[in-house]
Amino acid sequence: MAFEGLAERLQDTIKKITGKGKVSEQDVKEMTREVRLALLEADVNFKVVKDLIKRIKERAIGQEVMDSLTPGQQVIKVVKDELTDLMGGEHSKIAVAPKPPTVIMMVGLQGAGKTTTSGKLANLLRKKYNRSPLLVACDVYRPAAVDQLETLGKQLNMPVFSQGTDANPVDIAKQAIEEAKENHYDYVIVDTAGRLHVDENLMDELTQMKETVNPDEIFLVVDAMTGQDAVNVAKSFDEQLDISGVVLTKLDGDTRGGAALSIRAVTGKPIKFAGMGEKLDQLEPFHPDRMASRILG
Ligand code: GDP
């Protein structure tokens, strides 16, 4: 479960301070020391932890008294608010183009869950938002990826635009958008190529695609379980492509939460969705406040 390890690690610290009728500066210091250690153990970026702890201390020491909460509860509320802000504060909504279709480019490294997430996102858009998406198979270098997307399309009863593996991905995307206009699809979800590492060829192709299709969203799909590696991948993709948001996959298996807690602060880009399992309905809009509650109980 997401954040389970971190939540367990902090359980005693939270209990200890919540029970206090009076909180001294020393209590806050002890609590923040524990929170700091727990976050570092959870693989949260060092600088992110440092800034966060500083803000928590500033707010928790000498804060205004609220009648509804005990002093201990107030301190925990400060921690929760700060964790929520760290993950982006408000839930960040998906874009809607003024004139359909809204074009979403899905980018990321191989194995991150890009193709699965494209299917999941199409499913979510149809089910939750009542939209009609068109999936587009542009990952032509991994032949299995085109088949995989077509299979996902069949499972979901969702249209997939593909031209096999010989066509140029940028041309495929352009034609798919024309097809979407003609047939009144309102979202186009482009599954682009991924590679094992961030490399120049990949970035060149993605940049070219971005310039040609002018997407409304570029979602970077990263595997939460890779911790700080995911953060570094996000940094590189963002520097090259100016991504609009992150989809964090495999959060179901990530008990630590280092990527979830660092990505927004490091890249400035919001986590928009989280993958919570392999099934096609296991993609959820990412709500920072709910995630903070998972950590603090
Ligand atoms: P791609 O190479 O980036 O297109 O990756 P795939 O979409 O093929 O996914 C790689 C693997 O990750 C597959 O086995 C997926 O089922 C799995 N996967 C994707 N998202 C999630 C998720 O949110 N949770 C879990 N547990 N597995 C996931």
Side-chain angles (χ1 to χ4, degrees):
M1 271 291 281
F3 295 118
E4 201 172 34
L6 182 56
E8 252 175 50
R9 170 77 170 73
L10 283 172
Q11 214 174 34
D12 290 344
T13 307
I14 295 165
K15 243 192 225 143
K16 202 166 147 200
I17 200 142
T18 319
K20 285 193 188 289
K22 244 180 133 181
V23 179
S24 67
E25 200 169 315
Q26 189 56 29
D27 293 330
V28 172
K29 279 191 179 143
E30 272 173 32
M31 184 273 297
T32 48
R33 191 179 309 136
E34 284 301 314
V35 172
R36 181 175 162 276
L37 281 175
L39 292 174
L40 289 174
E41 280 169 26
D43 200 20
V44 181
N45 176 286
F46 179 79
K47 175 143 196 316
V48 170
V49 175
K50 197 173 156 214
D51 294 347
L52 176 80
I53 295 297
K54 187 166 166 258
R55 285 197 303 275
I56 292 175
K57 269 192 192 153
E58 275 167 12
R59 284 186 56 196
I61 298 172
Q63 64 174 329
E64 300 216 341
V65 179
M66 277 188 287
D67 289 340
S68 56
L69 299 174
T70 67
Q73 283 168 336
Q74 285 181 39
V75 172
I76 295 302
K77 186 175 180 305
V78 168
V79 179
K80 190 180 164 196
D81 289 350
E82 287 295 336
L83 286 176
T84 304
D85 283 354
L86 188 65
M87 288 185 279
E90 290 277 296
H91 164 60
S92 171
K93 291 207 178 84
I94 197 161
V96 184
K99 212 170 140 230
T102 303
V103 179
I104 303 175
M105 243 175 94
M106 306 293 285
V107 302
L109 295 183
Q110 241 171 48
K114 191 165 39 57
T115 303
T116 312
T117 304
S118 300
K120 284 175 167 181
L121 184 60
N123 187 38
L124 188 75
L125 282 167
R126 185 173 61 186
K127 262 190 162 158
K128 192 171 153 78
Y129 301 98
N130 212 10
R131 303 285 178 179
S132 60
L134 177 65
L135 285 162
V136 187
C138 285
D139 185 355
V140 295
Y141 306 113
R142 184 166 72 94
V146 175
D147 296 343
Q148 191 186 342
L149 195 67
E150 282 176 345
T151 308
L152 281 176
K154 281 200 191 99
Q155 276 173 18
L156 292 166
N157 197 15
M158 188 82 70
V160 176
F161 186 92
S162 98
Q163 295 187 326
T165 52
D166 293 332
N168 175 302
V170 177
D171 291 339
I172 303 176
K174 267 198 321 210
Q175 285 174 34
I177 292 168
E178 286 312 309
E179 162 100 359
K181 280 182 189 154
E182 272 167 35
N183 293 298
H184 307 291
Y185 293 111
D186 46 25
Y187 275 83
V188 173
I189 301 175
V190 184
D191 182 23
T192 66
R195 289 197 177 79
L196 290 175
H197 304 283
V198 177
D199 68 35
E200 218 171 296
N201 287 343
L202 173 66
M203 287 305 174
D204 284 350
E205 179 179 313
L206 294 175
T207 306
Q208 206 194 338
M209 181 165 303
K210 177 185 173 179
E211 282 165 3
T212 313
V213 309
N214 198 14
D216 302 285
E217 297 266 21
I218 302 179
F219 286 163
L220 171 70
V221 180
V222 283
D223 177 347
M225 286 169 71
T226 60
Q228 285 312 298
D229 279 347
V231 180
N232 293 331
V233 167
K235 231 178 135 189
S236 311
F237 271 80
D238 190 44
E239 278 163 11
Q240 300 275 338
L241 287 171
D242 189 17
I243 60 172
S244 60
V246 173
V247 180
L248 210 52
T249 61
K250 309 181 198 182
L251 203 58
D252 50 306
D254 175 34
T255 64
R256 307 203 295 168
L261 287 162
S262 315
I263 277 186
R264 166 68 201 232
V266 172
T267 63
K269 299 299 162 69
I271 300 170
K272 295 217 177 182
F273 296 93
M276 304 300 282
E278 291 194 79
K279 295 208 191 88
L280 292 175
D281 59 357
Q282 288 178 313
L283 183 75
E284 297 176 6
F286 186 86
H287 289 278
D289 55 339
R290 293 182 204 163
M291 291 296 160
S293 297
R294 277 182 186 237
I295 299 168
L296 297 173

